[in-house]
C-alpha cells in the first residue's frame, strides 16, 4: 500500500532478525541442573574497576568505589554488563563503557513482557535475540575449563530461551539457541533437541578459526551443517562472533573498529562461497547479523570474477561448479538498519536476500524510532519490496507463522 499524501510506501510491522537480550539474574539458578549450580555462573552486583591483563586476555576488576554494576562470576572470571549493550533510553553522550545494573537498564532489556511492550512502541512485531553473557555464539562456555558444566550451561540457556524468554510471547520472540562449539557431535545433538521443539535458528561463529576451532573448509563442521539443513535451522552469524573485530592501527580509537565491523561478515561470506559447503548442502541457510549490506554487490562481483578468471590456480575449479553469487542468492541472507547505499543497490544485494533489524538494546539501536528509520530507507521502494525487506524475507528465512 502507498500513501497518496507522501508518495511513500506504508511501512508494515517489522520483524527484526538481530536484537539482543540481557540475561536475567535468575537464569542459571532456575535452569541449570542442581548438581551443576555450584560450578555454574553466579550473578553479583559490585562496583566496577579497571582492566587487568591476565594470560594474554583483558579482564575487568571490581572496585568498591566504582560504578555499581551487575556481573556474572564464572570459573573465577568476572563478566560485567556495560552501558553500551543496554543503551536504549540513554542519550548518545551517555552511551559509554561504564558499568550498569539491571535496575538502571530499561526493563525490556531482560524482561520479556517489557520487551514486547517496547516492541509495540517501535512498530516491531517479532524479534530474534542474540545472547550477551554467553557472547554472540556461546564463546564463554566454549572457553570454560570444565566443559561438562559448559555443556549444561549451553542447554540451560537454550531451555530458558525457548521456555521463558520466548514461551509466552505468542511467537513474537523467536528462539535463537547456542551449540557446544567444542564438539561437533554434541552440537548436532543440540540442534536436533531444539528443532524438535520448534527452534529454527542457531548462532555460530562467523570465523571459527579465530576461536581456535576448525575452519569450515576442513569438513569438520559438515555434520553440523547437515543437521541444520535437515531441520531447517538457520545458521546465524553476528559480527564479533569470532571474538575479534577488524582494525587498522593498533592504537586506533574504537571508532575505527566500529566503522570496519562489516569486514568480518564479508570475509566470512567469501569463506563460505569458496568452501563448497553451500554446494554440498544446497538447502542450508546462512544469515549475517549486523553486517549491513552495501558491500555485498562488489563482494559478489569480485567473487564471480575470481571464479571466472582464477579458479584453476585458486583451488576451486572442481569445488565450486557455478559462479559464487549463485549460492549467495540461493542460500544467504544479509541484514541492515542504517545502509542507504545498500538500499540503493537492492536489486544486486537481492530483494529476496535482505532482512531488517533494530539492534535493541545496543548503542546502535534505532529504538524507538525504527519505523521512521525504515521509512527513510525504503519508503520509496515498491510495496512488495518493502514487505520483503521489513518482514517477508525474515518469515521465509525462519519459517515463521506470520502472514501464512
Amino acid at each position: 500500500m502507498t500513501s497518496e499524501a507522501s508518495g511513500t510506501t506504508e511501512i508494515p510491522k517489522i520483524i527484526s532478525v538481530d536484537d539482543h537480550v540481557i540475561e536475567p539474574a535468575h537464569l542459571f539458578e532456575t535452569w541449570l541442573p542442581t548438581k551443576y549450580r555450584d560450578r555454574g555462573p553466579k550473578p553479583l552486583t559490585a562496583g566496577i574497576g579497571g582492566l587487568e591483563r591476565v594470560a594474554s586476555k583483558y579482564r575487568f576488576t571490581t572496585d568498591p568505589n566504582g560504578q555499581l554494576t551487575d556481573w556474572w562470576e564464572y570459573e573465577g572470571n568476572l563478566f560485567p554488563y556495560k552501558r553500551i549493550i543496554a543503551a536504549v533510553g540513554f542519550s548518545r553522550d551517555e552511551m559509554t563503557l561504564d558499568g550498569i545494573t539491571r535496575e538502571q537498564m530499561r526493563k525490556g532489556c531482560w524482561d520479556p513482557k517489557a520487551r514486547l511492550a517496547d516492541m509495540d512502541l517501535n512498530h516491531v512485531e517479532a524479534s530474534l535475540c542474540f545472547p550477551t553473557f554467553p557472547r554472540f555464539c556461546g564463546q564463554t562456555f566454549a572457553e570454560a575449563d570444565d566443559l561438562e558444566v559448559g555443556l549444561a550451561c549451553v542447554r540451560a540457556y537454550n531451555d530458558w530461551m525457548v521456555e521463558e524468554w520466548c514461551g509466552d510471547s505468542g511467537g513474537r520472540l523467536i528462539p535463537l539457541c547456542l551449540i557446544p562449539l567444542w564438539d561437533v557431535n554434541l552440537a548436532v545433538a543440540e540442534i536436533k533437541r531444539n528443532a524438535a521443539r520448534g527452534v529454527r535458528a542457531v548462532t555460530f561463529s562467523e570465523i571459527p578459526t579465530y576461536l581456535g576451532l576448525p575452519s569450515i573448509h576442513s569438513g569438520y563442521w559438515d555434520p553440523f551443517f547437515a543437521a541444520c539443513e535437515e531441520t531447517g535451522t538457520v545458521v546465524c552469524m553476528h559480527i564479533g562472533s569470532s571474538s575479534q573485530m577488524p582494525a587498522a592501527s593498533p592504537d586506533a580509537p574504537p571508532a575505527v573498529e566500529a566503522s570496519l565491523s562489516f569486514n568480518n561478515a564479508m570475509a566470512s561470506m567469501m569463506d563460505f562461497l569458496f568452501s563448497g559447503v553451500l554446494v554440498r548442502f544446497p538447502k542450508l541457510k546462512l544469515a549475517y547479523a549486523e553486517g549491513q549490506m552495501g558491500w555485498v554487490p562488489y563482494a559478489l562481483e569480485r567473487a564471480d570474477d575470481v571464479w571466472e578468471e582464477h579458479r584453476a590456480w585458486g583451488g576451486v575449479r572442481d569445488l565450486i561448479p557455478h559462479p559464487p553469487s549463485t549460492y549467495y542468492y540461493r542460500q544467504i541472507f544479509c541484514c541492515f538498519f542504517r545502509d542507504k547505499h545498500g538500499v540503493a543497490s537492492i536489486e544486486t544485494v537481492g530483494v529476496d536476500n535482505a532482512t531488517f533489524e533494530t539492534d535493541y538494546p545496543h548503542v546502535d539501536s534505532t529504538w524507538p524510532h525504527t519505523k521512521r528509520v525504515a521509512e527513510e530507507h525504503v519508503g520509496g521502494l515498491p510495496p512488495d519490496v518493502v514487505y520483503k525487506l521489513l518482514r517477508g524475507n525474515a518469515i521465509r528465512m525462519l519459517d515463521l507463522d506470520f502472514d501464512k
Side-chain angles (χ1 to χ4, degrees), residues 19-282:
D19 294 316
H20 301 266
V21 61
I22 304 297
E23 297 78 18
H26 68 261
L27 192 159
F28 295 100
E29 181 181 358
T30 300
W31 294 97
L32 198 61
T34 303
K35 67 177 181 177
Y36 295 119
R37 287 180 191 165
D38 287 346
R39 292 178 286 161
K42 297 176 181 61
L44 69 131
T45 302
I48 193 169
L51 283 170
E52 63 176 1
R53 190 172 178 85
V54 179
S56 77
K57 292 185 178 180
Y58 288 100
R59 294 178 181 172
F60 281 92
T61 58
T62 59
D63 180 346
N65 297 315
Q67 171 71 40
L68 202 62
T69 301
D70 277 344
W71 309 65
W72 289 100
E73 185 278 324
Y74 181 47
E75 292 196 336
N77 298 316
L78 294 172
F79 303 84
Y81 286 124
K82 291 169 282 186
R83 191 175 289 183
I84 61 167
I85 56 90
V88 290
F90 292 98
S91 71
R92 286 293 165 189
D93 289 336
E94 294 173 312
M95 296 178 183
T96 65
L97 291 171
D98 291 342
I100 192 172
T101 65
R102 292 179 186 83
E103 186 65 27
Q104 295 165 333
M105 299 174 192
R106 192 168 179 87
K107 194 175 181 180
C109 293
W110 50 268
D111 179 87
K113 290 183 179 178
R115 175 62 67 92
L116 292 173
D118 275 356
M119 289 161 58
D120 288 337
L121 289 173
N122 202 32
H123 200 66
V124 173
E125 183 165 14
S127 167
L128 182 81
C129 291
F130 284 83
T132 302
F133 160 63
R135 312 218 304 276
F136 290 144
C137 66
Q139 301 103 299
T140 296
F141 303 130
E143 294 170 359
D145 294 325
D146 189 334
L147 292 179
E148 180 183 357
V149 178
L151 177 60
C153 288
V154 167
R155 290 173 173 166
Y157 178 91
N158 290 341
D159 290 344
W160 165 80
M161 166 61 63
V162 173
E163 299 182 36
E164 183 176 329
W165 179 252
C166 300
D168 293 329
S169 70
R172 295 184 64 193
L173 294 173
I174 305 161
L176 174 64
C177 286
L178 305 175
I179 55 167
L181 289 164
W182 59 91
D183 188 314
V184 71
N185 293 318
L186 292 175
V188 167
E190 191 63 11
I191 288 293
K192 293 183 177 180
R193 182 177 83 94
N194 292 314
R197 51 183 173 173
V199 175
R200 293 294 178 266
V202 64
T203 179
F204 186 62
S205 176
E206 61 203 351
I207 308 175
T209 53
Y210 284 0
L211 303 178
L213 298 169
S215 83
I216 63 165
H217 302 276
S218 67
Y220 175 83
W221 295 105
D222 280 7
F224 165 69
F225 296 136
C228 290
E229 181 181 56
E230 176 190 343
T231 58
T233 300
V234 183
V235 178
C236 300
M237 295 172 284
H238 196 285
I239 56 166
S241 57
S242 56
S243 294
Q244 291 189 31
M245 294 295 281
S249 305
D251 55 349
V256 173
E257 287 190 5
S259 299
L260 292 173
S261 60
F262 70 92
N263 275 8
N264 278 2
M266 182 167 59
S268 175
M269 190 180 82
M270 287 297 189
D271 234 11
F272 272 100
L273 290 178
F274 286 111
S275 68
V277 168
L278 301 179
V279 179
R280 295 193 297 277
F281 304 103

Side-chain angles (χ1 to χ4, degrees), residues 216-217 268-279 299-300 302-308 311 314-316 319-320 322-325 327:
I216 63 165
H217 302 276
S268 175
M269 190 180 82
M270 287 297 189
D271 234 11
F272 272 100
L273 290 178
F274 286 111
S275 68
V277 168
L278 301 179
V279 179
L300 294 178
R302 179 59 181 165
D304 283 356
D305 281 349
V306 167
W307 179 86
E308 183 68 35
R311 59 181 177 266
V316 295
L319 185 65
I320 311 298
H322 302 290
S325 62
Y327 308 102

